[in-house]
Amino acid sequence: MCNPNMEAKVHELMELKRMKEELEAEIAAAEDAIKAVMGDEELLTAGAYKVSWKTFTSSRVDTTALKKALPEVAAAYTKTTTGRRFSIN
């Protein structure tokens, strides 16, 4: 399908994504600066703001190991989904 009328919309989308990446980099830098000040502390009070940076533990199933050790069980509990991937080159 070819639609030259969509070029401006695609250009706008690409520009918004570029801006999002820049903002995400700035956000990460600001977070890293705060974390550097906090060090090992879990709580920081900064005026009206309370910042927490707490350690947590999570448990996940190692699907690679499960597939290797018990392939029948892994297959029985594997859910396959179908979707459409949107990309611009």
Side-chain angles (χ1 to χ4, degrees):
M1 173 180 178
C2 181
N3 189 335
N5 298 327
M6 290 303 296
E7 183 176 3
K9 185 54 74 179
V10 172
H11 179 74
E12 177 187 6
L13 175 61
M14 297 305 288
E15 181 64 16
L16 289 169
K17 286 186 175 195
R18 184 195 60 76
M19 292 167 56
K20 177 184 173 189
E21 288 177 4
E22 287 180 5
L23 284 172
E24 286 174 343
E26 288 183 38
I27 289 168
E31 287 176 349
D32 289 345
I34 294 167
K35 290 174 184 177
V37 169
M38 291 179 75
D40 291 334
E41 296 295 322
E42 290 190 345
L43 297 172
L44 167 75
T45 301
Y49 301 99
K50 292 182 180 170
V51 181
S52 67
W53 187 29
K54 297 183 177 184
T55 302
F56 69 93
T57 303
S58 65
S59 298
R60 296 185 180 101
V61 174
D62 182 347
T63 56
T64 303
L66 179 61
K67 288 176 186 176
K68 187 180 263 188
L70 301 167
E72 316 80 36
V73 173
Y77 289 95
T78 298
K79 179 180 174 183
T80 303
T81 60
T82 303
R84 294 175 69 182
R85 181 170 290 126
F86 181 79
S87 66
I88 300 173
N89 298 317

